[in-house]
Amino acid sequence: MANQKQSGPEPPIKVSTINCIDLSNPDIGESVALLKQACLDCGFFYVVNHGISQEFMDEVFAQSKKFFYLPLNEKLKVLRNEKHRGYTPMFDKVLDPDNQVHGDYKEGYYIGVDVPENDPESEKPFNGPNVWPADGVLPGWRQTMEKFHHEALEVGKAVSRIIALALDLEVDFFDKPEVLGKPIATLRLLHYEDQFSDPAKGIYGAGAHSDFGFITLLATDDVMGLQICKDKDAKPQIWEYVTPIKGAFIVNLGDMLERWSNCMFKSTLHRVLGNGQDRYSIAYFVEPNHDSLVECLPTCKTEKSPPKFPPIRCSTYLSQRYKDTHADLSVYDKHQA
């Protein structure tokens, strides 16, 4: 018992204040200013009045729960494949290997842009047909998720236009065929089990990480859990909760946009702590076309601040990042026997 960690009093819960962007606001200048401030400060902001109805958002959450309620053997029939489509079991992802004793206390389901196997484009990483539960198991489930995938992409494009203006670029710099015309856009349904996280013991709903890509849209239920750390180099790190807002997306910038902007805009460390309640969220990862070249933006370099990173193709960058954080699929072979 002598070498057990002594836990002191629980620190007070800190709640972060982040900007809210109203996509229906006719004053685009105000939206750009709010978004730019958020991107310089913490890389997180809310988006409201985004065009997806509350009724439909509720339906997507209800359908997501129906899948996670299925028995494990049924879920394993649609296990994640090498194209990152399908079911990811508990502990499949290790986002913070230095501090986690095992993978994340969450299960998920990946849905991407559907590319038929006989299409030459399906040879590219992350491209291919989606994996779906049998219609008899979850009637109408596929149609709901395909509709949401399509509508969320339109929200992502709308946000990208404001980001472009905030970076002093043309409004369609990102929202054009060669960048977001054939995006690597991934919908991920998530269920965090009713566990208590304990950072002192390396137990997390999702370990501390920054997202890999361009931007992420996150819809959540009303259970608190998401935390952000505005200064990852601070000792000790200060973690603040992000309050769920019904119907809103929480948007965060990914490492790819930080790289693109020469570190002007921030990709912020975040994690999920469980509080003993089941928690459901829906993440939508927006990444550019496979062949998009991510190189320092013309408005983000000066003589005093030359490019910090060499150019890299989008798909090359993402492939390595996924490989670093996901379990090898062979660990699930025993479930398939």
Side-chain angles (χ1 to χ4, degrees):
M1 299 292 287
N3 54 12
Q4 242 187 359
K5 281 192 178 179
Q6 294 297 312
S7 54
E10 282 290 308
I13 289 178
K14 288 180 69 72
V15 176
S16 190
T17 303
I18 61 176
N19 287 350
C20 185
I21 316 298
D22 183 345
L23 289 188
S24 68
N25 185 356
D27 185 350
I28 191 69
E30 181 181 22
S31 297
V32 169
L34 284 169
L35 182 142
K36 186 168 187 174
Q37 182 189 37
C39 292
L40 293 170
D41 174 41
C42 68
F44 271 77
F45 51 91
Y46 297 107
V47 164
V48 297
N49 293 322
H50 42 65
I52 301 179
S53 73
Q54 186 61 54
E55 183 183 18
F56 185 52
M57 293 280 273
D58 291 344
E59 175 64 16
V60 177
F61 271 97
Q63 292 284 5
S64 173
K65 288 180 182 180
K66 282 182 181 178
F67 174 78
F68 292 120
Y69 289 162
L70 292 174
L72 180 61
N73 66 335
E74 196 68 46
K75 291 184 281 194
L76 287 172
K77 290 178 183 176
V78 285
L79 183 67
R80 172 177 66 89
N81 60 26
E82 71 283 350
K83 294 287 191 175
H84 296 285
R85 310 297 172 93
Y87 175 61
T88 55
M90 290 284 169
F91 313 131
D92 179 74
K93 286 186 90 172
V94 183
L95 292 167
D96 186 11
D98 292 340
N99 293 305
Q100 284 182 267
V101 294
H102 47 57
D104 294 348
Y105 261 108
K106 69 174 190 287
E107 53 183 343
Y109 198 97
Y110 281 111
I111 300 163
V113 177
D114 203 51
V115 181
E117 277 182 344
N118 58 3
D119 187 325
E121 289 285 308
S122 71
E123 297 300 313
K124 293 180 177 178
F126 308 106
N127 271 5
N130 280 315
V131 175
W132 301 106
D135 230 11
V137 175
L138 292 173
W141 198 86
R142 172 178 179 169
Q143 290 76 11
T144 298
M145 297 308 165
E146 286 181 329
K147 181 182 175 188
F148 184 76
H149 191 291
H150 173 75
E151 293 191 9
L153 180 57
E154 293 308 307
V155 178
K157 288 180 176 180
V159 172
S160 81
R161 295 170 75 83
I162 304 175
I163 291 173
L165 293 174
L167 287 166
D168 297 317
L169 300 164
E170 292 294 321
V171 66
D172 63 349
F173 182 89
F174 300 112
D175 186 15
K176 58 188 176 186
E178 56 269 38
V179 181
L180 288 175
K182 291 185 175 179
I184 304 170
T186 305
L187 170 61
R188 190 159 193 231
L189 311 174
L190 294 164
H191 168 224
Y192 296 85
E193 277 209 337
D194 54 352
Q195 300 285 332
F196 284 93
S197 294
D198 187 344
K201 294 179 179 174
I203 298 171
Y204 300 88
H209 65 287
S210 54
D211 288 351
F212 312 151
F214 180 52
I215 58 172
T216 304
L217 313 177
L218 181 73
T220 73
D221 62 14
D222 57 2
V223 178
M224 291 270 269
L226 176 65
Q227 293 186 322
I228 64 174
C229 175
K230 293 181 180 178
D231 182 1
K232 62 185 173 190
D233 299 318
K235 303 286 185 205
Q237 291 177 335
I238 307 297
W239 289 93
E240 301 175 345
Y241 279 98
V242 176
T243 307
I245 295 180
K246 190 169 181 65
F249 281 113
I250 299 165
V251 181
N252 66 282
L253 312 184
D255 298 340
M256 187 185 293
L257 184 53
E258 182 175 290
R259 182 177 179 135
W260 230 333
S261 69
N262 213 24
C263 298
M264 189 170 117
F265 281 1
K266 291 174 64 172
S267 170
T268 296
L269 211 55
H270 53 285
R271 68 186 187 185
V272 174
L273 296 190
N275 64 1
Q277 293 175 273
D278 279 294
R279 179 175 177 271
Y280 293 87
S281 65
I282 298 167
Y284 191 82
F285 302 96
V286 182
E287 330 293 9
N289 301 3
H290 284 77
D291 298 328
S292 287
L293 192 64
V294 179
E295 60 181 334
C296 184
L297 296 166
T299 56
C300 297
K301 58 186 175 185
T302 63
E303 277 188 30
K304 290 184 179 177
S305 182
K308 295 178 174 64
F309 308 97
I312 189 170
R313 296 275 169 207
C314 172
S315 61
T316 305
Y317 174 78
L318 289 177
S319 293
Q320 186 55 52
R321 296 296 302 270
Y322 267 77
K323 186 179 171 188
D324 290 344
T325 58
H326 286 71
D328 189 297
L329 288 168
S330 63
V331 303
Y332 302 118
D333 286 348
K334 63 180 182 292
H335 292 296
Q336 307 299 301

